Amino acid sequence: MSTVRHFLEIDDVSTDELRAILDRADEYKRAQADGQDHEDLEGQTLGMIFQKPSTRTRVSFETGLTQLGGHAVFLGEDDIQLGRGEPLKDTSRTLSRYVDAVMARVFKHENIEVFADYADVPVVNGLTDDAHPCQTLADLQTIRELEGGFEDVEAAWIGDGNNVAQSFTVGCALTDIDLTVATPDGYGLDDDVVERARQLGGDPTLTDDPVAAASGADVIYTDVWISMGQEDERDVRMNAFEGFQVCSDLLSQAPDASVMHCLPAHRGEEITDEVIESDRSIVFDQAENRLHAQKALLSWLLE
């Protein structure tokens, strides 16, 4: 079994390690803006396994490795033997002989845990049904840029207590961001996620009132109500999330708040086109920071 350092959940790093990764992400962002080379992973290869499609995850990791002097290999489920029934542990041990790290974007969280157990190289969670820690890295970098730090920041999550919400909740606990999570009954965070946040010193406020959650917030964050694999629940979910849309009326409760969304957005559902195109939207800053934060993560894991 592996003793290599992996990144499957946002709290796989300590608060100090998280800040070090974010500092490095800022350095990479400045270096890119200044046109400076930063080929810290020259000659190294990242294997990228995709069971779920993605725009931001694929392009940010592949571009990031290129900028760091390395190479990324796209591995769709049907491109490798996983799609033909090869056990995860066999794919993991084989890829460990070829590449320096693996990023996997899969459905079941337990699958990436098995993959990491048998890998001899770092494994990064590019998204599972339970967690999206790479998104949280970018989110925290974006908030720190916006607010100048994490002290006294109040954030509100409005909508589904999904994988992005769960990683963000734990990330807020790691950085002492004051978080309120507003979800409809039956669509809240997993109990173990709330407990993990509390063990880290966080105290997320849980409510079913989006207006109360938004009131006075510095950052309002939302995501789609219907994630990949939930399409057959569309009608039920649309009814359940009525009143949870991030719109101009909701933003009137937080006149100074910036708006976040991990994308892709279903405009007209969880967020209006007006809001996402407004000067209060920082969603494309988040998207850009996926690149810088993931470069920092990989160089930290592989240094």
Side-chain angles (χ1 to χ4, degrees):
M1 296 293 181
S2 172
T3 57
V4 175
R5 189 74 184 265
H6 304 298
F7 186 71
L8 308 186
E9 301 269 11
I10 188 65
D11 50 339
D12 284 344
V13 297
S14 68
T15 295
D16 287 343
E17 290 168 333
L18 174 60
R19 291 179 186 272
I21 292 168
L22 294 180
D23 288 344
R24 187 172 298 187
D26 290 342
E27 292 171 6
Y28 281 143
K29 189 170 185 175
R30 288 192 295 269
Q32 182 175 323
D34 293 339
Q36 298 175 355
D37 290 336
H38 45 281
E39 296 185 349
D40 296 344
L41 298 182
E42 184 176 4
Q44 301 206 46
T45 300
L46 174 71
M48 304 189 303
I49 296 175
F50 283 87
Q51 286 186 327
K52 289 186 174 186
S54 171
T55 299
R56 279 148 291 276
T57 298
R58 177 176 180 178
V59 177
S60 59
F61 270 107
E62 192 162 338
T63 301
L65 257 290
T66 300
Q67 292 177 354
L68 290 170
H71 176 64
V73 180
F74 175 83
L75 303 168
E77 186 177 34
D78 293 332
D79 298 325
I80 56 177
Q81 296 300 324
L82 275 180
R84 300 177 180 87
E86 182 176 56
L88 283 166
K89 60 185 180 181
D90 290 0
T91 300
S92 176
R93 287 182 287 197
T94 300
L95 286 181
S96 293
R97 306 291 181 100
Y98 299 147
V99 302
D100 299 287
V102 173
M103 184 281 297
R105 183 177 172 93
V106 300
F107 285 93
K108 295 181 180 179
H109 191 79
E110 54 263 36
N111 284 349
I112 202 166
E113 292 177 327
V114 170
F115 200 95
D117 282 343
Y118 287 89
D120 293 324
V121 297
V123 175
V124 174
N125 179 1
L127 177 142
T128 67
D129 287 342
D130 292 345
H132 198 353
C134 288
Q135 180 64 54
T136 299
L137 283 180
D139 297 339
L140 294 174
Q141 183 184 7
T142 307
I143 290 172
R144 193 169 73 162
E145 287 175 339
L146 178 73
E147 300 291 336
F150 299 120
E151 187 176 358
D152 297 325
V153 174
E154 295 189 16
W157 177 275
I158 309 290
D160 190 17
N162 62 11
N163 48 5
V164 178
Q166 298 198 145
S167 291
F168 186 66
T169 297
V170 178
C172 286
L174 280 168
T175 51
D176 293 326
I177 293 174
D178 185 6
L179 176 66
T180 300
V181 178
T183 60
D185 184 42
Y187 295 92
L189 303 172
D190 291 347
D191 290 343
D192 71 298
V193 170
V194 177
E195 181 58 28
R196 277 165 53 205
R198 289 173 176 160
Q199 288 177 355
L200 290 167
D203 188 20
T205 299
L206 308 179
T207 181
D208 60 2
D209 185 346
V211 173
S215 181
D218 299 301
V219 172
I220 295 175
Y221 198 166
T222 191
D223 191 13
V224 295
W225 297 337
I226 304 159
S227 297
M228 284 180 281
Q230 298 173 338
E231 290 80 7
D232 59 345
E233 303 174 28
R234 179 175 181 80
D235 291 343
V236 172
R237 283 178 168 267
M238 290 297 290
N239 288 329
F241 286 96
E242 185 176 355
F244 282 79
Q245 184 183 73
V246 176
C247 58
S248 295
D249 285 346
L250 185 69
L251 291 186
S252 68
Q253 306 298 316
D256 297 322
S258 297
V259 177
M260 300 175 69
H261 194 303
C262 60
L263 300 177
H266 294 170
R267 299 177 186 224
E269 293 183 9
E270 77 279 357
I271 192 168
T272 62
D273 186 78
E274 177 187 12
V275 167
I276 207 169
E277 294 291 347
S278 72
D279 58 5
R280 300 178 66 176
S281 169
I282 55 173
V283 301
F284 297 106
D285 296 317
Q286 288 175 265
E288 178 188 344
N289 284 339
R290 289 289 302 276
L291 173 67
H292 310 302
Q294 289 160 185
K295 285 162 63 176
L297 172 67
L298 287 170
S299 72
W300 181 79
L301 286 170
L302 290 169
E303 67 182 0

